[in-house]
């Protein structure tokens, strides 16, 4: 028995050590990667369910890591939120996204808004409203060309300061989307306190599995409530036609998910657009 135990401990140590080394490597390479253009903006369409019409897009970061290849945000965003690199990365993402919006507004005459993700950590930087204002002005955009996705859980603790910042952003004209609504701990109270325009239903609501009937009834209620509050509702993670039809039946007008398109490199997104517009 002791032999088996030793082997398990050795295995545990190895994978833990590996994980720590990987995390350290990620931290050691982040600055250089940012300078060398290894972080990229991918875009995922947002559509109107009834017509399939494009209503917007979300900018999502992708890291083409020199050693690990393409790695997912889940592997580095939490680390960057801990060591405060997230603000640098996000400002880069916002800048690149504004650049794309300007380019496509010029190319097509007008373009749908694109949303960027704003980390809870970013909200603590006092210059955030100023940074975003200058950025949009720099690319000749209206603030409303850029939507800001802020995760619901960002509001839960010490909401006073965050509420003030979000109020300021809204005042300037940015459109605020509440991301991942319904995930983790949340309170319906945030819906009355925050000046949000759009509610993004977390994809957990749609996942098959335990308590699916209950989750669906809650989803129905949230869609109904948001509609009464005059908020747009976008369902995240729509993968199947059944899910789409279910949402439609519940009065949800907008969706984002693999059924409509995965996050794509900007060239691929342009091809996707011509497919849609053809
Ligand atoms: P999010 O903002 O809620 O973004 C939606 C996530 O769901 C994306 O994962 C997207 O690829 C994924 N997704 C979209 N449609 C489907 C679908 O039909 N099925 C499934 N299973 N997944 C779908 P991604 O790109 O891995 O990003 C994960 C999270 O990382 C994001 O969640 C966001 O919180 C964060 N993130 C991504 N890019 C950035 C960024 O530039 N800045 C910050 N601060 N956070 C970011
Ligand atoms: Mg988002
Ligand atoms: Mg989300
Ligand atoms: Mg999410």
């Amino acid at each position: 028995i002791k032999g088996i135990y030793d082997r398990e401990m050795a295995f545990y140590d190895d994978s833990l050590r590996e994980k720590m080394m990987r995390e350290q490597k990620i931290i050691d390479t982040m600055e250089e990667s940012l300078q060398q253009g290894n972080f990229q903006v991918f875009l995922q369409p947002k559509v109107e369910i009834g017509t399939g019409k494009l209503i917007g897009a979300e900018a999502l970061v992708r890291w083409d890591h020199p050693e690990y290849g393409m790695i997912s945000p889940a592997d580095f965003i939490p680390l960057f939120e801990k060591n405060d690199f997230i603000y640098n990365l996000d400002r880069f993402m916002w800048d690149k996204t504004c650049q794309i919006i300007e380019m496509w507004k010029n190319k097509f005459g007008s373009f749908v808004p694109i949303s960027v993700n704003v980390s809870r950590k970013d909200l603590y930087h006092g210059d955030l409203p100023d940074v975003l204002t200058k950025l949009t002005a720099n690319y000749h955009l209206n603030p409303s060309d850029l939507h800001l996705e802020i995760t619901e859980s960002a509001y839960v603790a010490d909401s006073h300061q965050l509420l003030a910042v979000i109020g300021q952003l809204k005042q300037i004209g940015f459109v605020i989307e509440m991301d991942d609504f319904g995930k983790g701990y949340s309170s319906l109270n945030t819906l009355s306190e925050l000046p949000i325009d759009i509610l993004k239903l977390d994809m957990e609501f749609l996942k098959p599995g335990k308590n699916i009937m209950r989750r669906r009834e809650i989803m129905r209620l949230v869609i109904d409530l948001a509609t009464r509050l005059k908020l747009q509702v976008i369902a995240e993670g729509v993968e199947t036609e059944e899910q789409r039809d279910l949402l439609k039946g519940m009065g949800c007008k907008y969706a984002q998910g693999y059924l409509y398109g995965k996050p794509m490199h900007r060239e691929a997104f342009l091809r996707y657009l011509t497919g849609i517009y053809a």
Side-chain angles (χ1 to χ4, degrees):
I1 283 171
K2 185 168 184 304
I4 292 170
Y5 178 77
D6 284 348
R7 265 204 301 284
E8 278 183 355
M9 281 310 286
F11 173 74
Y12 175 75
D13 281 349
D14 274 359
S15 63
L16 188 66
R17 193 176 308 126
E18 216 167 274
K19 183 171 181 266
M20 285 169 65
M21 275 168 62
R22 194 180 152 101
E23 287 189 1
Q24 192 55 50
K25 181 70 128 236
I26 280 173
I27 290 162
D28 291 342
T29 49
M30 62 192 188
E31 301 266 6
E32 206 186 340
S33 262
L34 189 59
Q35 270 149 32
Q36 303 207 321
N38 295 335
F39 289 100
Q40 296 168 1
V41 173
F42 269 46
L43 296 161
Q44 186 178 32
K46 294 178 177 177
V47 303
E48 184 175 48
I49 294 176
T51 59
K53 205 182 89 187
L54 186 81
I55 56 130
E58 175 173 9
L60 294 156
V61 68
R62 291 293 178 267
W63 187 359
D64 191 358
H65 194 274
E67 187 168 330
Y68 301 126
M70 279 292 180
I71 53 179
S72 132
D75 291 333
F76 56 87
I77 296 282
L79 282 175
F80 293 174
E81 283 178 335
K82 262 193 265 166
N83 64 24
D84 227 26
F85 185 67
I86 191 68
Y87 195 47
N88 297 330
L89 175 66
D90 279 343
R91 275 177 305 176
F92 167 84
M93 289 293 291
W94 305 337
D95 187 274
K96 284 290 169 226
T97 302
C98 287
Q99 197 184 333
I100 292 172
I101 302 172
E102 187 194 28
M103 226 162 52
W104 290 354
K105 276 181 92 171
N106 289 336
K107 185 179 167 81
F108 297 108
S110 67
F111 202 70
V112 293
I114 302 186
S115 65
V116 291
N117 287 283
V118 175
S119 159
R120 170 193 174 83
K121 282 293 171 70
D122 299 330
L123 296 172
Y124 288 103
H125 289 263
D127 63 349
L128 178 71
D130 208 40
V131 162
L132 286 166
T133 303
K134 285 193 176 126
L135 204 58
T136 44
N138 191 28
Y139 289 105
H140 314 101
L141 304 181
N142 304 313
S144 59
D145 290 327
L146 190 69
H147 287 197
L148 308 177
E149 293 196 8
I150 308 177
T151 299
E152 189 201 5
S153 60
Y155 314 116
V156 176
D158 50 343
S159 54
H160 239 75
Q161 187 190 346
L162 301 187
L163 203 78
V165 178
I166 295 164
Q168 243 179 305
L169 293 168
K170 164 87 176 176
Q171 192 68 37
I172 296 166
F174 294 106
V175 177
I176 314 292
E177 303 196 13
M178 188 186 275
D179 208 349
D180 301 335
F181 187 83
K183 178 183 172 180
Y185 303 96
S186 58
S187 142
L188 287 178
N189 202 28
T190 54
L191 283 182
S192 71
E193 287 191 342
L194 284 162
I196 61 164
D197 305 281
I198 295 172
L199 184 150
K200 296 190 78 181
L201 269 182
D202 193 74
M203 65 179 85
E204 286 298 322
F205 281 115
L206 290 174
K207 287 215 177 121
K210 230 176 116 205
N211 303 327
I212 186 154
M213 294 317 280
R214 285 187 181 203
R215 271 185 281 127
R216 289 199 168 162
E217 287 312 318
I218 294 169
M219 184 168 78
R220 186 195 303 280
L221 197 73
V222 171
I223 293 167
D224 196 48
L225 179 61
T227 308
R228 284 167 196 271
L229 294 173
K230 308 242 177 336
L231 305 175
Q232 272 187 17
V233 183
I234 305 180
E236 302 189 83
V238 180
E239 295 180 354
T240 67
E241 286 169 4
E242 276 117 353
Q243 291 172 336
R244 177 198 61 197
D245 294 343
L246 179 78
L247 285 160
K248 203 172 164 187
M250 290 182 178
C252 177
K253 292 208 181 69
Y254 308 100
Q256 177 180 351
Y258 297 165
L259 177 67
Y260 299 100
K262 291 199 167 177
M264 295 166 249
H265 186 269
R266 106 168 97 88
E267 298 299 327
F269 195 86
L270 274 180
R271 288 194 293 276
Y272 170 89
L273 285 182
T274 46
I276 278 194
Y277 290 143

